Amino acid sequence: MQYFKKMKGTAKSPPYVGISEIFWSWIGAFIGIGAVAYLEYNMLTTQTDLVMIIGSFGASAVLIYGAVRSPLAQPRNFIGGHIISALIGVSAYKLLNGHMWLASSVGVATAIAAMHATKTLHPPGGATALIAVTGSEQIHNLGYFYAIIPVGAGALIMLIVALLVNNIPKTRRYPEFWF
């Protein structure tokens, strides 16, 4: 019975955020994702075979532009979580690609463990690891370069936008800490 009682929760839902917070979150996400997507669709795709934007960046945008005070949104977590997870995801694919269900589960579970161990927990990192395993042939052909482009370079661009945009309003600041 105690087991099921724990599922009721114990705290209240957090309050709504103000219109200014909504506005600046939208601006940050628009510019951050827009910058990475612009590179993808106007420079890299036409001139190279590189990929610049990955799905997990959408979830990162929620954190670094919409939840700027969250420990999970800080630069160490954002950059470190993505790069560590990318390396683990690529390794899982290389070692276990004959058993995709196992490569997927090992990649994500190991990425979570590694992010915990390195104090870089960033939830979208799980998706970054999973994309390395289940992504297209274009992603697989990148090998460990996937951790540099698109993951590291895209995350760095989004971080620069977060630093610039999140510090414009007097009521916001980013980051809370670096390391």
Side-chain angles (χ1 to χ4, degrees):
M1 238 15 196
Q2 182 65 26
Y3 176 77
F4 291 108
K5 284 183 180 178
K6 290 170 31 179
M7 294 181 193
K8 290 172 50 179
T10 57
K12 291 184 177 184
S13 175
Y16 287 101
V17 298
I19 192 73
S20 173
E21 194 69 18
I22 293 169
F23 174 78
W24 287 108
S25 297
W26 190 92
I27 292 293
F30 176 80
I31 295 172
I33 293 294
V36 176
Y38 183 84
L39 287 173
E40 165 88 22
Y41 297 112
N42 293 295
M43 299 175 95
L44 292 180
T45 306
T46 58
Q47 298 172 7
T48 69
D49 200 27
L50 291 174
V51 175
M52 191 66 191
I53 193 161
I54 54 175
S56 56
F57 286 165
S60 289
V62 173
L63 286 168
I64 67 170
Y65 307 119
V68 298
R69 301 190 73 189
S70 167
L72 305 176
Q74 302 309 306
R76 176 191 176 104
N77 298 69
F78 175 51
I79 299 291
H82 272 299
I83 291 175
I84 288 169
S85 297
L87 293 171
I88 290 170
V90 171
S91 297
Y93 177 76
K94 286 184 175 291
L95 294 171
L96 303 167
N97 67 32
H99 308 280
M100 290 300 280
W101 72 270
L102 185 58
S104 300
S105 57
V106 166
V108 173
T110 306
I112 293 170
M115 287 188 287
H116 269 307
T118 57
K119 292 177 47 178
T120 59
L121 190 65
H122 183 70
T128 297
L130 191 57
I131 291 167
V133 174
T134 64
S136 68
E137 199 60 36
Q138 190 179 12
I139 293 289
H140 293 152
N141 289 340
L142 293 171
Y144 287 105
F145 193 66
Y146 169 75
I148 298 170
I149 296 177
V151 174
L156 182 62
I157 292 168
M158 290 178 65
L159 176 62
I160 291 168
V161 172
L163 291 169
L164 296 173
V165 171
N166 287 333
N167 288 304
I168 292 173
K170 290 181 181 174
T171 56
R172 285 173 73 129
R173 69 177 307 157
Y174 181 82
E176 293 291 314
F177 59 88
W178 279 92
F179 300 101

